[in-house]
């Protein structure tokens, strides 16, 4: 269709029903309904842009805080008169319900919410509305009050360019509160600029107090790929691979338009933002289901065809989506929304359509990006292991609570008196005698001691039920209180810092490595939250005259000796923590003012995962050195 005129509009009914039952059209007369008016007008402008006729939209919140102007640089709503009804298209659009155009194929129908009846609904619920059109070289205007025209379409004068401008002020006899929320409008416009690649949206807030929020421009050349980047920054999520999956497709038969970006991160939750016709679907629905099933099939197919399945654990659908962050946006002609807040898509046909569009695209992407695909598979396997660990931990808890009426703290734990968690610390100490020294030397108010006897089980190769049969590890889990695997909850952690205190020899290193491996595998959240530390007990005491110095390693010993000069020097090498006097242990290793801790960090989760895998079973001191190299000194720890 090359041109569009007023005769293409079908007149249906007047606006009385809208004023009588506003809730039927905008969901209610509260804040949500009030803002719905803005979305309706903005959606019409966006549609004009999506059809390729406009590129720039401006929304102004006026100083009174309860009136809005929306402007686009599209073709301008036609103003010519309908041959039989003798009214202009503009008036028809703003004064009659269901005055959607049958022009332009199905495009206008894809508008959010009310399929083109939006303009008249907004008009009906506004105490004042002014529609201005620049078209055919002239500026035209029509004014309305509560949906009724105050006159015909007036020609104001010559115009440069084309476009539509709508000013409206909601009717306070309909809405108990007519003040708009700038933040709500701003955020919605920002999302719109992501969902419509290249669309330029300006938000001007004349009501803003300071200068900060006055005028913002949203324009994203990469669309939802840019949105994904923003979400990752916002949520502080670290991707486990570069180059996200992205696809933009149109379904032949149904005309459904689909836009998806996905990226896996170190986070343990799934975060998907979905939209239907630009409307957020916080409760998901059939489109999300289609994405999940398509993704699941693609991923399993890839894992199977490349024989990447892990031994001993089965991969669940949740494992595939753990850490997944993404944006899904679809446009369809007849969306049906469900639920209390109408934020779930209910069209059943959509699931299969989305599935069939997404699955081949993801498979193709995986097969052409092997490095990325392998990183994702490693992430999925990590999740499967953690889930298995959580299940076993739950079984363990069930078993324990069946035998004793309540879960008690391990008997050998010397807890601290302090109840303030942030301020408290637990030292995991190798051996009973060292534990004894630490127990006596500590600050009882805020330092707890958990001595570990014997060697800790290697959590890397052992099954989780074996891990928890290991007394040392299950005591540790109980003392920390935060659970493990999927059941991990940082907020339940009973201490602010977890500090591994092991001898400075190879046995001590081995114990520390095993503990770190266990925590990395089953409570990685402790590490990402920066809660895990290594204490650094001294290896030597160097007495120079009456002064004692402590050296953590050979290098420090040399440095201290260099400074000794000609004084009498006496060097003691500690055989173990156990032979250190409690007071000395306090001075060198426990006292927050004088000690130095190393904070354990994960630089690259997938790399760490692989390296720990490779190192296990080899020389323990090599492993320890690796981990020490990847631990960073914790500076300014004193509180
Ligand atoms: C379904 C109705 C609402 N409409 C048109 C044409 C352009 C156009 C509009 C619009 C909001 C605030 C500034 C079509 C569509 C009515 O028919 S609505 N632009 N912008 C808008 O509402 N912005 C149109 C065919 C030929 N020429 C113009």
């Amino acid at each position: 269709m090359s041109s569009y005129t007023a005769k293409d509009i079908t007149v249906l009914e007047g606006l009385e029903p809208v004023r009588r039952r506003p809730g039927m059209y905008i969901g209610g007369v509260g804040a949500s309904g009030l803002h719905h008016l803005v979305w309706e007008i903005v959606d019409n402008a966006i549609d004009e842009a999506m059809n390729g006729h406009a590129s720039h939209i401006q929304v102004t919140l006026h100083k009174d805080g309860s009136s809005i102007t929306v402007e686009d640089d599209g073709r301008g709503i036609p103003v010519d008169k309908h041959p039989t009804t003798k009214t202009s298209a503009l008036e028809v659009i703003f004064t009659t319900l269901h005055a959607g155009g049958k022009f332009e194929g199905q495009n206008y129908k894809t508008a959010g919410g009310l399929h083109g009846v939006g303009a008249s609904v907004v008009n009906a619920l506004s105490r004042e509305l002014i529609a201005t059109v620049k078209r055919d070289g002239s500026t035209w205007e029509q004014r309305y009050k509560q949906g009724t025209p105050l006159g015909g379409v007036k020609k104001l004068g010559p115009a440069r360019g084309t476009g539509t401008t709508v000013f409206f002020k909601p009717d306070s006899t309909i809405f108990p509160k007519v003040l708009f929320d700038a933040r709500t409008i701003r955020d919605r416009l920002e999302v719109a600029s992501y969902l419509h690649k290249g669309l330029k949206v300006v938000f001007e807030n004349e009501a803003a107090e300071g200068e900060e929020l006055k005028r913002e421009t949203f324009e994203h050349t990469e669309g939802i790929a840019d949105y994904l980047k923003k979400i990752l920054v916002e949520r502080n999520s670290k991707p486990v691979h570069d180059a996200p999956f992205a696809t933009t497709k149109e379904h032949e038969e149904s005309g459904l338009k689909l836009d998806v970006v996905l990226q896996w991160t170190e986070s343990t939750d799934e975060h998907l933002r979905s939209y239907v016709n630009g409307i957020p679907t916080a409760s998901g629905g059939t489109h999300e289901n289609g994405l999940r099933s398509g993704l699941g099939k693609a991923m399993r197919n890839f894992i199977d065809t490349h024989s990447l399945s892990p031994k001993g654990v089965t991969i669940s659908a949740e494992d595939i989506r753990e850490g997944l962050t993404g944006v899904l946006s679809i446009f369809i002609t007849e969306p049906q929304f469900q639920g209390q807040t109408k934020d779930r898509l209910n069209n059943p046909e959509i699931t299969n359509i989305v599935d069939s569009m997404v699955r081949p695209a993801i498979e193709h992407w995986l097969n052409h990006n092997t490095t990325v695909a392998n990183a994702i598979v490693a992430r999925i396997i990590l999740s499967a292991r953690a889930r298995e660990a959580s299940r076993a931990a739950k079984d363990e808890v069930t078993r324990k609570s069946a035998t004793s009426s309540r879960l008690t703290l391990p008997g050998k734990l010397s807890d601290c008196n302090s109840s303030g968690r942030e301020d408290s610390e637990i030292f995991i100490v190798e051996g009973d005698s060292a534990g004894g020294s630490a127990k006596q030397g500590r600050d009882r108010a805020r330092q707890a001691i958990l001595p570990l006897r014997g060697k800790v089980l290697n959590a890397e190769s052992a099954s989780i039920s074996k891990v928890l049969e290991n007394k040392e590890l299950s005591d540790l889990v109980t003392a920390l209180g935060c659970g493990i695997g999927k059941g991990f909850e940082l907020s339940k952690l009973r201490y602010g810092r977890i500090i591994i205190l092991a001898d400075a020899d190879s046995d001590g290193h081995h114990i520390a490595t095993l503990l770190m491996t266990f925590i990395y595998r089953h409570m990685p959240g402790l590490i990402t939250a920066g809660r895990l530390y290594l204490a650094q007990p001294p290896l030597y005491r160097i007495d120079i005259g009456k002064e004692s110095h402590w050296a953590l390693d050979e290098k420090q010993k040399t440095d201290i000796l260099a400074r000794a000069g000609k004084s009498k020097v006496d060097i003691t090498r500690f055989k173990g923590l156990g032979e250190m006097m409690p007071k000395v242990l306090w001075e060198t290793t426990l006292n927050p003012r004088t000690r130095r801790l190393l904070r354990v960090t994960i630089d690259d989760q997938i790399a760490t995962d692989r390296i720990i895998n490779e190192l296990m079973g080899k020389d323990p001191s090599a492993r320890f050195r690796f981990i020490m190299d990847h631990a960073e000194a914790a500076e300014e720890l004193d509180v």
Side-chain angles (χ1 to χ4, degrees):
M1 195 172 299
S2 57
S3 72
Y4 158 87
T5 51
K7 67 181 187 316
D8 293 315
I9 301 278
T10 338
V11 178
L12 283 159
E13 10 171 0
L15 296 176
E16 313 81 51
V18 182
R19 289 188 60 85
R20 234 184 297 125
R21 304 180 69 188
M24 293 277 289
Y25 299 86
I26 54 165
V29 292
S32 158
L34 180 74
H35 289 87
H36 203 111
L37 304 182
V38 185
W39 317 147
E40 287 302 335
I41 299 298
V42 167
D43 278 353
N44 286 343
I46 290 176
D47 281 343
E48 184 68 357
M50 277 178 81
N51 287 328
H53 302 293
S55 63
H56 187 154
I57 296 170
Q58 171 147 348
V59 178
T60 307
L61 172 59
H62 297 293
K63 211 161 180 71
D64 60 6
S66 60
S67 62
I68 297 257
T69 296
V70 181
E71 190 177 351
D72 71 45
D73 61 352
R75 294 164 293 180
I77 301 175
V79 288
D80 56 319
K81 286 207 165 112
H82 191 285
T84 46
T85 59
K86 302 267 194 291
T87 42
S88 69
L90 181 69
E91 181 168 329
V92 171
I93 283 166
F94 276 92
T95 59
T96 54
L97 272 173
H98 307 113
K102 47 182 179 165
F103 37 77
E104 302 276 317
Q106 33 186 220
N107 286 321
Y108 271 113
K109 283 202 204 157
T110 64
L114 303 167
H115 320 310
V117 303
S120 60
V121 169
V122 174
N123 194 19
L125 303 175
S126 295
R127 74 176 223 195
E128 186 188 5
L129 187 143
I130 307 169
T132 314
V133 168
K134 288 193 285 178
R135 198 181 155 92
D136 308 326
S138 301
T139 305
W140 313 81
E141 181 194 270
Q142 187 168 34
R143 295 177 174 245
Y144 315 83
K145 187 189 174 195
Q146 299 179 330
T148 309
L150 294 173
V153 178
K154 287 193 179 70
K155 192 177 187 165
L156 293 187
R160 268 207 277 142
T162 58
T164 304
T165 303
V166 174
F167 163 89
F168 69 97
K169 191 170 173 63
D171 193 339
S172 56
T173 65
I174 303 271
F175 299 97
K177 286 198 184 118
V178 289
L179 272 185
F180 288 108
D181 179 49
R183 187 89 219 168
T184 304
I185 297 171
R186 180 227 167 268
D187 289 350
R188 177 78 166 228
L189 296 178
E190 186 183 20
V191 168
S193 76
Y194 285 117
L195 300 187
H196 304 287
K197 189 187 272 193
L199 175 69
K200 183 172 172 181
V201 189
V202 174
F203 176 51
E204 184 134 11
N205 181 7
E206 293 177 347
E209 295 274 308
E211 284 301 296
E212 340 79 59
L213 218 88
K214 271 239 178 295
R215 193 186 152 94
E216 275 189 279
T217 304
F218 305 113
E219 190 177 15
H220 295 284
T221 50
E222 300 308 316
I224 60 171
D226 284 339
Y227 193 15
L228 178 71
K229 281 188 200 149
K230 177 191 140 85
I231 295 170
L232 293 174
V233 171
E234 235 173 46
R235 297 175 48 82
N236 200 9
S237 299
K238 233 176 104 190
V240 298
H241 61 91
D242 38 53
F245 165 77
T247 191
T248 305
K249 282 185 162 184
E250 193 162 342
H251 191 246
E252 283 275 347
E253 260 169 78
S254 64
L256 178 149
K257 283 202 259 176
L258 170 112
D259 204 1
V260 184
V261 283
L262 301 173
Q263 194 160 19
W264 279 257
T265 71
E266 289 176 5
S267 311
T268 46
D269 56 348
E270 177 194 351
H271 188 83
L272 182 66
R273 292 197 195 169
S274 65
Y275 300 86
V276 175
N277 297 353
I279 302 161
T281 39
S283 299
T286 49
H287 58 324
E288 280 196 12
N289 297 346
L291 172 64
R292 292 202 173 93
S293 81
L295 166 66
K297 286 179 208 163
M299 217 63 230
R300 283 187 194 286
N301 199 9
F302 181 83
I303 291 172
D304 289 348
T305 50
H306 294 82
S307 310
L308 298 171
S309 283
K311 284 178 197 77
V313 277
T314 42
I315 289 168
S316 75
E318 288 72 34
D319 295 332
I320 292 174
R321 300 196 312 268
E322 192 177 282
L324 180 66
T325 306
V327 180
L328 163 67
S329 167
I330 65 163
F331 288 89
I332 56 175
T333 46
E334 303 278 339
Q336 295 156 27
F337 294 100
Q338 199 192 30
Q340 196 80 63
T341 43
K342 298 257 174 275
D343 60 357
R344 181 169 50 243
L345 184 69
N346 199 30
N347 303 49
E349 73 282 4
I350 300 301
T351 303
N352 282 335
I353 296 176
V354 172
D355 177 321
S356 73
M357 290 170 88
V358 154
R359 189 183 43 73
I362 295 180
E363 265 172 21
H364 181 269
W365 177 70
L366 291 172
N367 287 316
H368 287 81
N369 297 275
T370 335
T371 317
V372 166
N374 287 333
I376 295 169
V377 172
R379 175 72 187 79
I380 292 172
I381 292 171
L382 183 73
S383 161
R385 291 214 182 112
R387 184 176 44 78
E388 182 60 27
S390 146
R391 191 193 56 74
K394 228 201 234 138
D395 290 353
E396 172 73 3
V397 170
T398 325
R399 195 181 59 74
K400 269 197 183 172
S401 35
T403 49
S404 68
S405 57
R406 72 188 178 95
L407 282 173
T408 45
L409 289 170
K412 61 191 181 192
L413 171 74
S414 304
D415 213 359
C416 53
N417 307 329
S418 153
S419 51
R421 180 170 70 82
E422 284 312 313
D423 192 35
S424 64
E425 310 176 328
I426 181 168
F427 285 86
I428 309 165
V429 187
E430 173 208 358
D432 273 341
S433 62
S437 294
K439 210 174 136 180
Q440 289 172 53
R442 71 183 167 140
D443 166 7
R444 292 172 165 271
R446 20 172 269 168
Q447 296 182 322
I449 308 291
L450 180 69
L452 297 181
R453 293 171 198 120
K455 281 213 172 148
V456 169
L457 189 82
N458 186 348
E460 183 62 14
S461 48
S463 79
I464 188 64
S465 46
K466 275 269 169 355
V467 164
L468 287 158
E469 271 172 30
N470 180 262
K471 183 93 178 90
E472 311 308 310
L473 292 183
S474 77
D475 277 356
L476 174 60
V477 171
T478 313
L480 295 183
C482 55
I484 69 171
K486 274 263 162 75
F488 176 82
E489 266 180 83
L490 187 62
S491 63
K492 295 229 170 106
L493 181 64
R494 299 180 57 248
Y495 307 95
R497 281 187 274 263
I498 298 125
I499 305 168
I500 299 173
L501 172 55
D503 279 333
D505 60 13
S506 80
D507 262 7
H509 290 173
H510 191 200
I511 288 257
T513 306
L514 291 170
L515 284 170
M516 282 188 280
T517 303
F518 171 69
I519 290 171
Y520 174 68
R521 280 289 173 230
H522 303 298
M523 318 169 147
L526 289 183
I527 304 179
T528 46
R531 303 302 188 118
L532 183 64
Y533 298 84
L534 294 169
Q536 290 188 287
L539 200 54
Y540 299 103
R541 189 180 67 214
I542 303 158
D543 293 319
I544 305 171
K546 276 182 188 145
E547 268 179 61
S548 291
H549 300 262
W550 285 277
L552 299 175
D553 50 29
E554 296 298 330
K555 193 186 168 297
Q556 282 192 1
K557 187 178 84 174
T558 321
D559 290 351
I560 292 166
L561 290 177
R563 276 184 273 131
K566 292 205 174 72
S567 325
K568 182 185 178 302
V569 174
D570 185 31
I571 302 174
T572 316
R573 192 192 153 100
F574 294 113
K575 287 214 193 64
L577 290 165
E579 64 175 40
M580 233 183 255
M581 296 295 288
K583 198 166 162 276
V584 174
L585 191 60
W586 164 255
E587 212 69 38
T588 59
T589 315
L590 303 180
N591 184 352
R593 289 185 199 289
T594 49
R595 74 186 180 197
R596 264 175 64 87
L597 295 182
L598 291 174
R599 176 184 267 144
V600 179
T601 60
I602 306 174
D603 293 335
D604 173 346
Q605 186 173 344
I606 293 299
T608 310
D609 196 55
R610 181 176 46 77
I611 291 166
I612 287 194
N613 251 311
E614 286 170 7
L615 289 178
M616 278 304 153
K618 291 188 190 162
D619 165 35
S621 68
R623 269 181 268 145
F624 185 77
R625 278 199 305 278
F626 165 76
I627 293 170
M628 290 299 279
D629 286 348
H630 288 72
E632 65 181 31
E635 239 95 52
E636 294 155 326
L637 275 171
D638 306 351
V639 266

